[in-house]
Amino acid sequence: MYTQIYILRFPKDTSDKPFIYQLVKEYDIEFNILKADILLQREGVMIIELKGSSKNNVKAGLDFLKGLGVQTERLAARIRRDDSQCFQCGACTGICPVGALYIKRPEMEVIFDAEKCTGCSLCVPICPVRAMEVSLDKDWVLPEETVMK
């Protein structure tokens, strides 16, 4: 599965269109709306997690949105682990949907692979010592062109 988080900015003339329905039906994309500010006849903003069986599903869905005039940006959340806090309990490994957190055997060491991390932040509240943290700085919002190549 390919999972990424995006910021959608849509013009006021698309605020009443069922584009999320189309993403599910036509492009076989699962979604999780993380935050939304949508009012009829006004510009809207939505932070949404999109999950497709492949990168191509998500890219096709994003192309559909762009055709409607929706601006899309990948939200690249940065997840960090404070190694001085982490005591290697492994609680985070069971919740990570993409395998960015896993147990290295036979050492039984908890490994964090930042390259695999999608920034979903599920690991943050599950960590008993709060060794995992998320940063959503504006510097980490990437233009779509740098992501889907």
Side-chain angles (χ1 to χ4, degrees):
M1 290 297 257
Y2 178 77
T3 304
Q4 290 296 331
I5 299 174
Y6 292 89
I7 298 175
L8 307 180
R9 300 179 198 282
F10 42 95
K12 63 183 176 182
D13 59 329
T14 61
S15 65
D16 62 343
K17 305 268 190 285
F19 59 85
I20 298 296
Y21 169 78
Q22 294 292 70
L23 290 177
V24 174
K25 185 173 182 195
E26 300 295 326
Y27 300 96
D28 195 28
I29 296 174
E30 295 177 31
F31 69 94
N32 182 18
I33 298 174
L34 304 173
K35 186 173 184 177
D37 183 14
I38 304 167
L39 297 171
L40 285 176
Q41 299 304 311
R42 296 191 61 193
E43 292 181 351
V45 176
M46 181 182 299
I47 300 175
I48 188 168
E49 179 182 34
L50 299 177
K51 184 186 297 187
S53 58
S54 73
K55 190 176 191 176
N56 292 334
N57 287 58
V58 175
K59 182 174 181 346
L62 291 171
D63 289 344
F64 161 73
L65 292 175
K66 288 176 188 174
L68 294 175
V70 177
Q71 295 175 358
T72 63
E73 295 175 276
R74 179 175 163 222
L75 179 64
R78 174 188 257 187
I79 302 292
R80 290 179 277 223
R81 181 175 70 181
D82 182 347
D83 290 329
S84 67
Q85 290 279 70
C86 179
F87 63 85
Q88 305 289 310
C89 71
C92 57
T93 63
I95 196 78
C96 183
V98 295
L101 289 155
Y102 62 94
I103 297 177
K104 181 179 176 184
R105 298 182 193 272
E107 297 87 355
M108 300 304 287
E109 177 184 1
V110 176
I111 303 294
F112 174 53
D113 184 348
E115 291 296 315
K116 287 184 180 179
C117 182
T118 62
C120 73
S121 74
L122 291 173
C123 58
V124 174
I126 201 77
C127 180
V129 294
R130 301 294 182 244
M132 303 304 292
E133 61 184 18
V134 64
S135 171
L136 295 175
D137 297 332
K138 181 65 178 161
D139 295 341
W140 286 93
V141 177
L142 303 175
E144 188 58 36
E145 294 76 36
T146 65
V147 179
M148 297 303 286
K149 288 184 179 179

